Amino acid sequence: MQPYVESLSTCPKHGLHNPFKSPERYLLYGDISAKAAHMLSVPKVLDFFTRLIQRVAPKSYQQALGEVQVTQKFLENFSGDQVRFLARSFAVPGNHLGQQSHGFRWPYGPVAIITPFNFPLEIPVLQLMGALYMGNKPVLKVDSKVCIVMEQMMRLLHYCGLPVEDVDFINSDGKTMNKLLLEANPRMTLFTGSSRVADKLAVDLKGRIKLEDAGFDWKILGPDVNEVDYVAWVCDQDAYACSGQKCSAQSILFMHENWSGTSLLSKMKDLAERRKLEDLTVGPVLTFTTEAIVEHMNKLLQIPGSKLLFGGKPLENHSIPSIYGALKPTAIYVPLEEMLKESNYELVTREIFGPFQIITDYKKDQLPLVLEALERMHAHLTAAVVSNDPLFLQEVIGKSVNGTTYAGLRARTTGAPQNHWFGPAGDPRGAGIGTPEAIKLVWSCHREIIYDIGPLPKHWEIPPST
C-alpha cells in the first residue's frame, strides 16, 4: 500500500488545479471527455464494454448496453467548456469601494472513491471524472469481482489524454482498502455500497465522507387507474431488471385499492415468469445465497395474512455456484397493518439485493398509514408516485424524503442518471451523481475570497480602541 499512500501525499490540499492554479486543466478534461465520449460511441468499443460488463455482472445485453450509453452521454455532457463551467464563481458587492466577496468551488486534493459491483462502469466513471474535473487526485477502488471493466476503461482514458499520474487504481479487498484509507488519510471519500460499511467508514474517517448507500425503495400507485399494461411492465423492470441488484430497485409496492381490482398483479406475474437465465434477464445474486433469501421469505410468510404472489423457487438447470443466489423473481404480499407492527416492520423493510419485492395494498382512508411506513424507513434513495392526481402527488411528495423521486403516470424507481440528479436525501452525508450540482456538491467545497483593495477614505485616522 505504501506507493498508494505516497502517491496521494504528493497532491496538496489545494488540488491539482483550481480557479487560480493551472486553469488550463479544466480545458484538458473537457477534451478528454470529448474523446472518451467519441470512443464509447464507436460500435466496436460500445459492444466491447457491454460484453465485458456481462462477463462479470448479471445483466442482460440491453441492461449492460444502457450502462455504457449512460456513461457515454455523461462524457458528452462534460465536453468542451462544460468542465470549466463547473468552477463558476460568484461575486457580492462589499461595504465600500474596493471590497467584493467572491465564492469559489475548491477541490479537496487527495480523495478516494469506492464503488460496488452492480454498475462496474457507470458509477466509477461518473464519480471519477467528477473528482478529476474539480481538481482532485483520486485513488479508485472498484469491487474486485468486476474491476476488470474499470481497468479497461482506465486504459481508454489514458489513450484519450488522461495524465497517468492523475489517478491511482487499486484492486484489493475491503480490509486492505480500509487500512489504506486510514494511512493515506484522504481529504474526502466517496462510498457507494451497503449502509453497514458506510456507517463504519463514517466513523473511521471522522465524517470526511459522502455516501450513496442502500435503498429500500418504494412505489405508490395512486387512486387513478390508467394504462395497466404499462404500469405492470415498469413495475417488472424496476423490481427485476439486473436481477433486482440496483440500489434503485423497487423494494416495496403500495397499491391503492382501485388497483387491486385490475389485472395488475397477474400481468406482473406473467412478466416476471418470462425472465430466464439464458439471456440474463434473471441471473445470479452476488450478495445473498439462495438459502438466505428463502429463509427471509419464509419468515415473511409467517406474518398473518401474508402470501406468496409468485416466484419463491430456486432457478433450475444452472451451474451458478452455491455462494451466490439463484431465485426466480419473487413477490410477497404483506398486509399493511401487519407491516406496521413493531415486531414485523424491520423484517418487512429489510433490503434484499436481488429479484425480491414486497407488495401491499391500502384503502382510501389508509394513506396516513402508508406515509407512516415511509417515514419510518431509514434509507431514502429513490421512489415513485404513480398518479396524475396533483393533490395526491402533492401530499405524498410533501410528506416523504427520497432524493430521486419520480412522479406521474410513467413514474419509476430506476432510471439513467446522466441527465438528472441521482442520490439520497435526508442525510447530510448524502452524495449525488450525474449532474453539475452533484459534482460540485461531492467533489468540491466552498471557498470565499474577499477582495479589499481600497482606497482608504481621505484623511483617515486611527480610531479609538473598541
Side-chain angles (χ1 to χ4, degrees), residues 212-423:
E212 196 263 272
D213 55 352
F216 189 82
D217 304 304
W218 50 266
K219 178 182 288 181
I220 297 176
L221 305 185
D224 44 329
V225 176
N226 283 294
E227 304 293 349
V228 176
D229 283 347
Y230 180 82
V231 172
W233 174 75
V234 175
C235 285
D236 176 75
Q237 286 293 105
D238 281 345
Y240 304 126
C242 299
S243 299
Q245 293 171 95
K246 295 183 180 183
C247 51
S248 57
Q250 177 178 304
S251 303
I252 186 167
L253 176 66
F254 297 89
M255 295 189 308
H256 189 278
E257 59 183 335
N258 292 351
W259 287 87
S260 302
T262 70
S263 57
L264 177 71
L265 289 181
S266 64
K267 290 179 183 296
M268 287 172 60
K269 179 176 183 290
D270 292 342
L271 291 168
E273 289 177 348
R274 71 178 184 169
R275 294 182 174 274
K276 53 186 184 293
L277 193 57
E278 288 75 18
D279 59 6
L280 282 176
T281 49
V282 68
V285 176
L286 301 191
T287 54
F288 284 86
T289 63
T290 305
E291 291 75 16
I293 302 175
V294 170
E295 181 184 356
H296 178 70
M297 178 184 73
N298 289 334
K299 289 179 180 177
L300 289 168
L301 291 174
Q302 292 173 16
I303 296 173
S306 66
K307 58 186 175 183
L308 176 66
L309 295 175
F310 52 83
K313 296 180 180 179
L315 295 175
E316 300 166 345
N317 303 318
H318 64 78
S319 57
I320 298 170
S322 59
I323 59 170
Y324 302 124
L327 193 75
K328 293 181 179 180
T330 298
I332 305 289
Y333 174 83
V334 178
L336 179 60
E337 299 92 334
E338 291 292 331
M339 177 196 309
L340 289 170
K341 291 180 178 178
E342 287 292 336
S343 56
N344 295 331
Y345 186 80
E346 187 174 336
L347 174 67
V348 174
T349 57
R350 181 189 178 197
E351 184 184 16
I352 299 297
F353 212 55
F356 191 96
Q357 68 172 320
I358 303 295
I359 295 179
T360 191
D361 51 13
Y362 67 99
K363 294 180 171 56
K364 179 181 179 180
D365 60 354
Q366 288 183 311
L367 183 58
L369 297 182
V370 175
L371 296 173
E372 179 190 340
L374 307 185
E375 177 70 16
R376 287 164 60 182
M377 293 176 189
H378 72 275
H380 300 288
L381 184 56
T382 71
V385 190
V386 181
S387 173
N388 284 344
D389 181 336
L391 294 179
F392 183 82
L393 291 173
Q394 181 173 318
E395 180 163 16
V396 174
I397 294 172
K399 295 180 179 178
S400 58
V401 179
N402 293 41
T404 303
T405 303
Y406 301 90
L409 176 63
R410 301 184 65 173
R412 60 202 195 276
T413 65
T414 62
Q418 100 282 347
N419 67 324
H420 63 70
W421 164 282
F422 184 89

